[in-house]
Amino acid sequence: MARRAKPVELHLIQGNQSRLTKKEIEHRQEAEERLKPKKNRVKPPSWLDKVAKSEFTRLAKELAELDLVTNVDVNALATYCDAYSDYVQCTKIIQEEGLVVEHTNKAGETNSVPHPLLTKKKQLHDQMRSLAIEFGLTPSARAGLAKPKKEQKPQTSFDKAFGDSV
């Protein structure tokens, strides 16, 4: 599986390790610029709770400084921050109640079991990770959208005769 693409500016800062040519760099920069939506309404939605709004504001400020957050990212960022808030709440409850809790089953037996919120906490972690990647909240995910398409090479007589069989 190939590595996720990075924005061309980040790629250049890290030393142009894949040795992109000036033409390739220019194509990537043009493609990334065309894909940038407006960024005049990046505000936390009203439905977020206090923790999520605080996280939204913090992340939006950081991402804005890097020029990586736009109007179309608001809902994705809000969903991420909502999951973050739930994650924090689960963590606090687990810290108060402990990793292991007492559970009485239908037969009346009491057993020590892992805290049920541990499963929810893992689900929230996975949701946050997938949102960060899926919706372009990471530089590498956003750069993947900006990669220019490969130019079609004209077919040779060999390609016409044998196609993709080689």
Side-chain angles (χ1 to χ4, degrees):
M1 182 176 197
R3 289 187 212 148
R4 293 194 176 275
K6 299 177 200 169
V8 72
E9 296 299 326
L10 179 61
H11 180 78
L12 293 174
I13 288 170
Q14 293 177 342
N16 193 13
Q17 295 171 349
S18 62
R19 307 288 182 238
L20 293 176
T21 65
K22 287 182 181 182
K23 187 175 181 178
E24 290 171 326
I25 291 169
E26 288 174 9
H27 284 296
R28 289 270 301 270
Q29 287 173 328
E30 290 169 8
E32 288 176 14
E33 194 58 38
R34 281 193 312 271
L35 288 172
K36 283 189 178 178
K38 293 180 183 178
K39 44 192 162 193
N40 59 346
R41 289 190 268 157
V42 179
K43 295 178 179 88
S46 59
W47 53 267
L48 289 177
D49 66 17
K50 185 179 176 182
V51 172
K53 279 185 182 180
S54 174
E55 182 68 1
F56 184 100
T57 303
R58 184 187 73 80
L59 285 176
K61 181 182 175 191
E62 293 290 328
L63 293 172
E65 287 178 13
L66 297 171
D67 201 25
L68 292 175
V69 67
T70 65
N71 294 347
V72 298
D73 298 321
V74 168
N75 287 332
L77 185 58
T79 305
Y80 172 88
C81 293
D82 187 47
Y84 170 81
S85 176
D86 292 344
Y87 183 89
V88 169
Q89 189 175 9
C90 283
T91 301
K92 287 179 180 178
I93 292 170
I94 292 168
Q95 286 173 343
E96 289 173 9
E97 298 178 4
L99 292 172
V100 179
V101 294
E102 298 293 320
H103 173 73
T104 305
N105 61 21
K106 291 180 182 177
E109 299 171 344
T110 302
N111 301 314
S112 295
V113 296
H115 201 293
L117 285 179
L118 288 171
T119 303
K120 182 65 177 171
K121 186 176 172 179
K122 183 183 181 331
Q123 290 171 347
L124 290 166
H125 174 268
D126 293 342
Q127 180 184 6
M128 290 187 306
R129 187 181 67 214
S130 68
L131 283 168
I133 294 168
E134 190 68 27
F135 292 109
L137 297 177
T138 64
S140 60
R142 192 176 308 281
L145 298 174
K147 260 190 172 175
K149 296 179 182 176
K150 287 186 177 181
E151 295 178 19
Q152 290 285 351
K153 294 180 183 176
Q155 280 191 334
T156 64
S157 58
F158 181 84
D159 292 333
K160 290 177 184 174
F162 296 104
D164 292 334
S165 61
V166 179

